[in-house]
């Protein structure tokens, strides 16, 4: 699933590159919530980048790489939050195009026997620009995960621990979407972890509704 760099998964680097804010200016003028989401994802990515660089200075080597997607198959309980769902719906509906769009739609319409994340297409994330925080944050060092492995349970020492400050900052940016605008209230909520009650399990959601929305958008 991987955070990787902004060009997707490339571990052939010694210093993890600074993440770039993806520019969706045209859409953000119409969709103010998208600015919150993309700003929060930038902070998340910056925190992950700093964590990876710290670990690599200690001698660890990021194992995540382009085309490595075992985690997208084996992780069954990836959390996703309402604002993130907005982003995923929007991106799939209004941004995705061409063959990738057709493949994703077909997959979302027929999820019954799917053994992976609904958005994994040919070993890549079809919604990489708006993949959830959980996906951005899960990174593994030293050895790529083997089929079916969840490294969090098999070798926790190889799994990146995201820096809390950046995670908290990302939530601070996003909470106004949930009508929590007061700064003190936001900090209190973050400290108590209350926002995690809003999490849904990605694979348990009705993604055929998204496929239908994509169909309708094309009419
Ligand atoms: S959204 Fe799905 S395919 Fe994309 S990174 Fe996350 S688990 Fe992988
Ligand atoms: S090493 Fe593991 S966590 Fe990293 S991209 Fe590969 S399967 Fe995913």
């Amino acid at each position: 699933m991987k955070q990787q760099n902004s060009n997707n998964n490339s571990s052939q680097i010694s210093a993890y590159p600074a993440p770039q804010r993806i520019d969706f200016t045209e859409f953000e003028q119409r969709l103010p919530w998208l600015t919150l989401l993309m700003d929060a994802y930038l902070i998340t990515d910056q925190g992950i980048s700093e964590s990876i660089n710290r670990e690599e200075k200690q001698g660890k080597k990021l194992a995540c790489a382009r085309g490595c997607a075992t985690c997208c198959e084996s992780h069954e309980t990836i959390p996703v939050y309402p604002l993130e769902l907005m982003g995923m719906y929007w991106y799939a509906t209004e941004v995705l195009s061409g063959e990738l769009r057709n493949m994703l739609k077909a997959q979302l319409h027929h999820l019954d026997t799917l053994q992976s994340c609904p958005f994994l297409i040919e070993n890549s994330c079809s919604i990489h620009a708006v993949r959830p925080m959980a996906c951005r944050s899960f990174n593994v060092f030293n050895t790529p995960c083997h089929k079916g492995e969840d490294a969090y349970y098999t070798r926790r020492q190889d799994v990146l621990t995201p820096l809390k400050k950046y995670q908290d900052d990302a939530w601070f940016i996003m909470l106004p979407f949930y009508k929590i605008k007061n700064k003190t209230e936001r900090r209190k909520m973050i400290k108590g972890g209350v926002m995690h009650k809003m999490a849904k399990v990605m694979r348990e959601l009705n993604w055929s509704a998204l496929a239908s929305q994509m169909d309708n958008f094309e009419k």
Side-chain angles (χ1 to χ4, degrees):
M1 56 177 97
K2 308 355 26 289
Q3 136 80 12
Q4 321 324 45
N5 60 33
S6 57
N7 297 320
N8 209 336
N9 307 341
S10 172
S11 65
Q12 308 307 308
I13 47 179
S14 53
Y16 202 76
Q20 302 296 312
R21 164 72 150 84
I22 302 179
D23 182 9
F24 289 125
T25 304
E26 183 189 337
F27 295 101
E28 288 175 45
Q29 285 168 358
R30 177 167 54 88
L31 307 168
W33 56 264
L34 183 56
T35 300
L36 301 182
L37 183 65
M38 299 316 297
D39 286 350
Y41 280 166
L42 175 61
I43 296 282
T44 302
D45 291 348
Q46 287 171 337
I48 298 302
S49 176
E50 187 175 324
S51 310
I52 290 171
N53 281 328
R54 282 189 192 184
E55 295 293 340
E56 293 205 321
K57 279 182 189 154
Q58 299 297 319
K60 288 187 177 179
K61 179 74 182 164
L62 186 66
C64 304
R66 183 185 291 275
C68 185
T70 299
C71 50
C72 304
E73 297 170 352
S74 59
H75 293 192
E76 296 181 355
T77 55
I78 297 169
V80 61
Y81 293 86
L83 177 57
E84 294 187 304
L85 282 170
M86 293 273 288
M88 294 159 81
Y89 258 74
W90 158 76
Y91 187 85
T93 304
E94 298 194 34
V95 180
L96 269 192
S97 63
E99 187 55 22
L100 185 57
R101 181 189 184 91
N102 293 336
M103 291 166 79
L104 178 61
K105 260 199 317 179
Q107 183 155 287
L108 296 178
H109 271 308
H110 303 98
L111 286 176
D112 295 354
T113 56
L114 191 68
Q115 300 294 315
S116 70
C117 168
F119 295 95
L120 185 66
I121 303 284
E122 294 187 341
N123 268 0
S124 286
C125 178
S126 58
I127 54 160
H128 190 259
V130 292
R131 67 203 185 286
M133 281 189 292
C135 303
R136 292 166 189 268
S137 301
F138 195 83
N139 287 270
V140 167
F141 293 99
N142 300 328
T143 309
C145 309
H146 59 71
K147 195 162 181 60
E149 179 184 19
D150 185 338
Y152 188 87
Y153 297 105
T154 58
R155 48 191 171 103
R156 180 68 186 85
Q157 73 281 5
D158 280 353
V159 176
L160 181 84
T161 300
L163 297 169
K164 187 172 183 308
K165 176 192 179 312
Y166 288 87
Q167 291 182 308
D168 288 354
D169 286 351
W171 274 110
F172 191 82
I173 290 170
M174 286 189 288
L175 281 177
F177 172 77
Y178 303 102
K179 311 287 184 221
I180 317 293
K181 296 188 177 171
N182 178 278
K183 290 183 179 177
T184 305
E185 199 178 337
R186 275 191 266 171
R187 289 194 193 98
K188 194 172 161 190
M189 211 169 161
I190 291 165
K191 193 172 176 190
V194 182
M195 62 280 181
H196 296 304
K197 290 181 183 164
M198 297 185 287
K200 309 280 182 200
V201 174
M202 187 152 63
R203 285 206 203 174
E204 293 177 358
L205 296 172
N206 172 21
W207 291 110
S208 63
L210 172 55
S212 299
Q213 179 172 301
M214 292 167 78
D215 282 334
N216 291 335
F217 186 81
E218 293 159 20
K219 289 175 186 165

